[in-house]
Amino acid sequence: MRAAASTLVTGLYPPAIRDRWGAEISRQVAETGLRSWPDTVAGAVRLWLHPSDWPETFPGQTRRVLSIALAAVAAVTALLLRATPPSAFLTADPHRPVTSLWLVPILLAAAVAVPVPPHLADLRRLLLRLALDAVRTLAAPAAAVTAMVLIARSGAVHDATGRASPVLVAYYWGTLALTARRLCALAARVVHTIPAAPTRRLRASLLLLGTGLALAAAQNLPAAQDPTSVASTLALATLAAATLHTARDLVTTA
Amino acid sequence: MHSNDAQMLVLTVLADGPLHGYAINVAIEELTGRKLGPGSLYGALSRLEARGLIAPAGEAVESPERHRTMRITDTGRDTLRAELEQMARVSRAGLRALGSSPA
């Protein structure tokens, strides 16, 4: 039990640190027990905020990990926004384009971080490989989403009573979480196949993503009246601060 | 770096010779009276390695217990010396201002 918990805590560290010190961190956390957890978790958070402190196991490892982290932040943002109650300030509305203002830097961030193959001659082969990867990685969430749509169309959602209702809600959120997880796995496969974007572009992407998240948090402030909205606004602001801090760390080292 | 900085402590104990993570923490405990938490210790080791101030010590890298033995590099020694000299200057000035003579 203690060994499993220490492995879990060690898993919070960036890959380069796990590669080097993972076994020793796990051993020390297992020996010291719960009282070492705050320092261990704080150490992991500090390292994620300072990618310049990651020694590289292979060239380009930091850029690769940052690209996957960008996808993870985007996925968590999507889940957070889904959990946020609809509001007149944040929910995209074609009649009020200003509500989608936060989305512009986030979409730009995604575009800026896209890796470009070094040799365009290989493009066809790479695209075929990525398409196969996408099919393999997204098959399970696609099946789960299809089942969800079929359940919704069957009317079972409206008729659900008693224990069935929380099960359906859990299935819905489980499907969204699985989709987010697999999209991150796909991002990992992409940057395994094509070299990740250079540090300068990743830094720009982090700055844009952080700006978008900060805008989303600021736009949602007037709607933050109930505990769910307050929590999601705070979470968006925290993600924004973390993303901008990481970008600042890259500025000092690029 | 500051005098109580985990990185400074790690460099100081490695100046005596190569050590692995756990032994580094034992040496720090002997020096300061308390061990560093795993997050502080391995965070400092990662930062120092990323900046080239410490490096794996030869064949000892892959021991059966997966301990990584680290050594201080020449750059690490220069950095440590500069920091200690600066601290010594500050210490002398502080003690003079307090009316005590440095030991």
Side-chain angles (χ1 to χ4, degrees):
Chain A
M1 177 71 184
R2 192 176 258 207
S6 64
T7 307
L8 187 74
V9 176
T10 308
L12 297 176
Y13 279 78
I17 284 76
R18 288 202 307 267
D19 293 345
R20 285 167 171 72
W21 308 107
E24 290 195 42
I25 296 173
S26 288
R27 199 176 303 123
Q28 288 204 25
V29 172
E31 279 172 15
T32 326
L34 263 179
R35 72 172 190 277
S36 67
W37 280 39
D39 181 79
T40 312
V41 173
V45 172
R46 274 197 301 270
L47 281 164
W48 275 110
L49 292 175
H50 295 96
S52 60
D53 291 341
W54 306 347
E56 292 201 325
T57 309
F58 54 86
Q61 186 185 25
T62 302
R63 287 187 292 118
R64 189 187 285 188
V65 174
L66 277 177
S67 301
I68 301 165
L70 272 164
V73 172
V76 169
T77 304
L79 291 177
L80 264 176
L81 291 170
R82 186 64 199 91
T84 306
S87 85
F89 307 97
L90 193 63
T91 309
D93 180 353
H95 303 294
R96 296 181 63 214
V98 75
T99 54
S100 307
L101 193 61
W102 57 273
L103 197 53
V104 176
I106 291 181
L107 291 175
L108 281 173
V112 167
V114 168
V116 178
H119 308 294
L120 288 177
D122 293 341
L123 193 60
R124 200 172 154 189
R125 184 183 60 79
L126 284 173
L127 287 177
L128 184 65
R129 187 169 165 188
L130 288 176
L132 286 172
D133 280 344
V135 169
R136 261 199 300 265
T137 313
L138 300 178
V145 168
T146 307
M148 191 164 70
V149 171
L150 290 176
I151 291 168
R153 288 200 173 168
S154 72
V157 177
H158 292 294
D159 303 336
T161 51
R163 284 182 190 172
S165 185
V167 167
L168 285 173
V169 171
Y171 178 73
Y172 176 77
W173 280 103
T175 302
L176 291 190
L178 174 70
T179 307
R181 172 78 184 81
R182 288 304 183 99
L183 283 172
C184 293
L186 182 61
R189 283 177 187 268
V190 169
V191 289
H192 186 75
T193 308
I194 304 172
T199 306
R200 191 169 295 183
R201 277 209 279 133
L202 288 176
R203 185 179 69 207
S205 179
L206 282 165
L207 282 171
L208 284 164
L209 183 58
T211 307
L213 288 165
L215 271 176
Q219 279 182 228
N220 203 41
L221 266 182
Q225 309 290 336
D226 60 288
T228 313
S229 288
V230 170
S232 58
T233 305
L234 279 176
L236 285 169
T238 307
L239 272 180
T243 311
L244 291 171
H245 189 286
T246 309
R248 187 170 155 264
D249 182 76
L250 281 180
V251 169
T252 58
T253 58
Chain B
M1 274 196 284
H2 304 291
S3 60
N4 61 348
D5 194 352
Q7 295 175 64
M8 182 79 161
L9 293 171
V10 170
L11 280 182
T12 303
V13 299
L14 284 180
D16 251 354
L19 293 169
H20 60 71
Y22 187 80
I24 290 171
N25 220 0
V26 171
I28 288 174
E29 188 180 23
E30 285 168 6
L31 187 67
T32 65
R34 55 183 296 198
K35 277 186 181 170
L36 295 175
S40 304
L41 174 64
Y42 293 101
L45 286 168
S46 301
R47 277 175 211 113
L48 291 169
E49 188 179 359
R51 286 166 193 167
L53 304 183
I54 62 171
E59 300 87 48
V61 175
E62 290 298 334
S63 72
E65 290 158 324
R66 298 185 65 196
H67 282 151
R68 293 181 86 225
T69 301
M70 303 301 290
R71 63 171 178 81
I72 191 166
T73 61
D74 291 342
T75 318
R77 281 188 185 281
D78 293 343
T79 305
L80 179 62
R81 185 171 293 112
E83 290 286 337
L84 291 175
E85 283 170 358
Q86 189 187 5
M87 278 168 55
R89 279 198 299 276
V90 172
S91 169
R92 276 195 299 274
L95 287 168
R96 208 167 31 243
L98 288 169
S100 333
S101 56

